[in-house]
Amino acid sequence: MTESLPLSGFRIGVTAARKADEQVGLLERRGAAVEWAPALSLDPNRVDDEELRAATTEVLGTPVDLFLATTGIGMRAWFDAAERWGLLPDLLATLGSAEILARGPKSVGALRRRGLRELWAPESECFEDVLEHLRGRDLEGRRIVVQEHGQSLSMVAHALRRQGADVTTVTVYRVASADDPEPMFKLVDLVADRALDAVTFTSAPAVAALVDAAGSTGRRDELVSAFQADVVASCVGPVTAAAFEMWGVPTIYPDRSRLAAMVKQLETELPSRRSGLGLELVGGHQLLLHGEDVLLDGVEVRLSPAPAAVLQALVANPGNVVSRRALLAMLPSGTAGSEHAVEMAVARLRAALGTRAVQTVVKRGYRLAVG
């Protein structure tokens, strides 16, 4: 019975603190052996009432031109606190008079529940795309309020001030580390020793916490190497996945940023990797990867290390865009001097697989063109 389950025989690490029981249950019911190591505190989102009230008073003091909402949990916590203080009507009126940009559907939902409407939100759910949306605009003298999302956005505020804006950041909550670090240290060892098939991540701070834990035990390089080669970094969505870019780690994430969708993706991803990953490219060509072997329409394709590294990153999320910065970080040491090295590696990969196999997405990066 157990052997017929889609994840039987696979060992998966879980870093979530919130909804951990739900995620562990989803994985175990599919046959997986689970190692749970919360990267953050079980009560990770600590609200400093005094600091938040002072920031709220500052926001209410001057009309707001532009408001950037980044997380649903942050917006809900802010609105609930303002309601306790009797300031909610004033806060809603102040934000409602501004142009509102939201990072993703959760922040959109929190806004709409209180009667506020966003003017724009990126499909990617990436805060970087919100900033890109603002980059070409004249912000001179505009007052912008930014809701922080558990980690400091001081660099974002600085960038907006360079465009002439008057920026106020509102720290609704801060993310706290796990109360007991021992499970995280054990998880570091399991990943570095390649004793796991995958590790799941539901927030960017969890990624940072695991890498920091590996650094404190002297195993950061081993951890990163394991994720680059043998252990799948499974993320709930693109925002979480972006935290791995600086380490050159390929990630997988579902089309919809939902827990069940992430687990469903693992159901197909892990067995396919064990038996060899097969993909259909544009034009009906069949690409098969098994370990270091690459076959195109049944014929072996020999790749040098740089284009092989690019292919590994692209197949981790077939059809999705991988940024040049992420690909640059994936290139072998000695070849990753500039983004020109990425372009050269992509050119060699196209020469091996066909020019249509890898598509350029202007100003964003590249993606594998799957059929």
Side-chain angles (χ1 to χ4, degrees), residues 159-295:
L160 293 172
R161 289 185 186 112
R162 291 187 67 187
Q163 290 182 248
D166 174 15
V167 183
T168 298
T169 56
V170 177
T171 305
V172 180
Y173 62 86
R174 288 288 188 211
V175 174
S177 300
D179 301 314
D180 179 8
E182 283 303 319
M184 184 59 53
F185 290 147
K186 179 184 177 183
L187 187 67
V188 166
D189 289 336
L190 288 171
V191 174
D193 294 340
R194 307 182 190 219
L196 297 177
D197 296 289
V199 180
T200 64
F201 299 87
T202 55
S203 70
V207 175
L210 181 64
V211 174
D212 287 347
S216 66
T217 59
R219 304 201 73 179
R220 180 177 294 164
D221 289 348
E222 294 172 87
L223 178 106
V224 170
S225 295
F227 275 130
Q228 288 175 336
D230 298 314
V231 183
V232 176
S234 171
C235 299
V236 75
V239 176
T240 303
F244 272 117
E245 283 191 5
M246 67 181 292
W247 302 106
V249 169
T251 58
I252 63 169
Y253 55 86
D255 292 334
R256 297 184 70 239
S257 300
R258 297 291 183 270
L259 191 59
M262 178 179 69
V263 173
K264 185 70 176 175
Q265 186 180 41
L266 283 173
E267 283 184 41
T268 56
E269 184 71 23
L270 292 183
S272 70
R273 289 190 180 219
R274 182 165 287 181
S275 59
L277 177 64
L279 294 170
E280 182 177 341
L281 303 180
V282 291
H285 297 289
Q286 299 297 319
L287 181 68
L288 177 66
L289 290 86
H290 194 289
E292 295 183 357
D293 296 329
V294 179
L295 299 176

Side-chain angles (χ1 to χ4, degrees), residues 104-185:
K106 292 181 181 179
S107 52
V108 165
L111 291 166
R112 292 184 180 181
R113 274 192 289 273
R114 294 292 187 170
L116 299 177
R117 299 288 295 192
E118 79 291 349
L119 185 66
W120 182 81
E123 290 184 10
S124 66
E125 302 181 30
C126 291
F127 196 63
E128 289 78 5
D129 287 339
V130 177
L131 297 180
E132 183 66 30
H133 183 73
L134 294 174
R135 206 154 278 141
R137 292 178 51 175
D138 180 10
L139 301 180
E140 188 69 39
R142 305 289 301 280
R143 184 167 189 239
I144 301 177
V145 172
V146 181
Q147 174 243 326
E148 291 190 330
H149 55 73
Q151 294 178 302
S152 173
L153 292 178
S154 60
M155 293 302 291
V156 169
H158 180 69
L160 293 172
R161 289 185 186 112
R162 291 187 67 187
Q163 290 182 248
D166 174 15
V167 183
T168 298
T169 56
V170 177
T171 305
V172 180
Y173 62 86
R174 288 288 188 211
V175 174
S177 300
D179 301 314
D180 179 8
E182 283 303 319
M184 184 59 53
F185 290 147

